[in-house]
Amino acid sequence: DAGVIQSPRHEVTEMGQEVTLRCKPISGHDYLFWYRQTMMRGLELLIYFNNNVPIDDSGMPEDRFSAKMPNASFSTLKIQPSEPRDSAVYFCASTSPPPFVAGGSNEQFFGPGTRLTVL
Amino acid sequence: QQPVQSPQAVILREGEDAVINCSSSKALYSVHWYRQKHGEAPVFLMILLKGGEQKGHEKISASFNEKKQQSSLYLTASQLSYSGTYFCGTERIGRDDKIIFGKGTRLHILP
């Protein structure tokens, strides 16, 4: 398997522009997570999906951020309009937790990230 | 509800030992440990489930004290390859399947 795929790897844009980040999870994984990483705040969970359905978006900073998962193999994170404070590395991760009774690992597999710079 | 990690940074010489701590104010189901090298994605090290178990990965091991909601990561006889930022992630009782990560502990190993 190719692992979690993210695109683009780097994005430089000007304030006010729309930015779309893309993620392809590992085939068979039914959970997908979007994280934002900055030096100040560390690794923040923005939103996660289970079986393509958004479960918890409490980490989405404001209405300028939106995320979709139209099918099991694709998700997008959109920022419109973008602002300089949105500059960060955005990671997508996927996992497939075992049944509760199995007590097994639910390791998250991270993509390589998208480094976003908003000027 | 973000777990608190300590110390924030550690500098060691190769072969020395280190302990990284992670504490939460919430009742936990599990604690996860990840390592991230500069410019790369976080990589899973291990998970500890409530029950106070200990686990190991090479010369890296961890414990989980569920009564205190604390976990510790032990790095023994550190190697240059251990350099990076270590994150603990906590999953609360109720298993809502999301992990909240601490701010990380930067570890630098000197030759």
Side-chain angles (χ1 to χ4, degrees):
Chain A
D1 200 323
V4 177
I5 299 172
Q6 290 187 247
S7 65
R9 294 293 307 276
H10 302 273
E11 176 80 37
V12 180
T13 190
E14 292 188 345
M15 183 174 63
Q17 296 297 306
E18 177 180 296
V19 175
T20 299
L21 311 181
R22 298 172 177 79
C23 175
K24 176 179 168 55
I26 291 174
S27 177
H29 282 187
D30 48 10
Y31 281 80
L32 183 142
F33 303 82
W34 282 101
Y35 294 93
R36 177 173 69 176
Q37 186 174 38
T38 60
M39 286 295 293
M40 290 297 295
R41 303 171 74 96
L43 200 56
E44 300 175 273
L45 176 65
L46 299 177
I47 184 172
Y48 78 97
F49 296 82
N50 180 21
N51 292 322
N52 314 335
V53 177
I55 302 300
D56 186 341
D57 65 355
S58 59
M60 296 286 260
E62 46 196 278
D63 292 345
R64 298 185 297 107
F65 285 69
S66 62
K68 294 182 179 179
M69 193 164 185
N71 57 63
S73 60
F74 183 65
S75 177
T76 59
L77 179 67
K78 186 178 294 186
I79 308 173
Q80 166 62 20
S82 58
E83 296 182 4
R85 59 193 170 119
D86 300 332
S87 296
V89 179
Y90 291 81
F91 287 103
C92 172
S94 70
T95 191
S96 186
F100 178 77
V101 295
S105 162
N106 60 338
E107 169 187 356
Q108 292 191 11
F109 295 83
F110 283 77
T114 295
R115 182 173 295 278
L116 174 65
T117 302
V118 183
L119 303 174
Chain B
Q1 66 188 57
Q2 183 179 38
V4 177
Q5 287 187 236
S6 63
Q8 290 185 321
V10 184
I11 299 176
L12 296 176
R13 292 210 173 270
E14 197 173 7
E16 293 181 338
D17 301 340
V19 180
I20 299 172
N21 299 303
C22 174
S23 63
S24 173
S25 59
K26 304 290 184 182
L28 300 177
Y29 171 74
S30 67
V31 178
H32 303 231
W33 286 97
Y34 286 74
R35 177 171 63 202
Q36 183 180 30
K37 294 194 177 285
H38 183 68
E40 300 180 6
V43 174
F44 175 80
L45 291 176
M46 66 190 77
I47 178 174
L48 299 102
L49 304 177
K50 69 191 270 310
E53 64 176 3
Q54 214 160 336
K55 278 198 173 181
H57 174 81
E58 298 174 344
K59 291 184 179 178
I60 300 174
S61 62
S63 62
F64 175 26
N65 185 326
E66 62 184 286
K67 288 184 179 179
K68 293 185 177 180
Q69 309 307 325
Q70 291 177 348
S71 178
S72 294
L73 186 72
Y74 307 94
L75 298 99
T76 306
S78 57
Q79 306 170 13
L80 293 175
S81 62
Y82 288 178
S83 290
T85 301
Y86 289 78
F87 292 95
C88 74
T90 54
E91 185 180 8
R92 295 185 309 178
I93 295 283
R95 291 204 78 236
D96 54 4
D97 291 322
K98 71 179 184 183
I99 300 170
I100 304 299
F101 286 96
K103 290 189 176 180
T105 296
R106 293 186 305 280
L107 176 66
H108 187 62
I109 310 294
L110 300 172

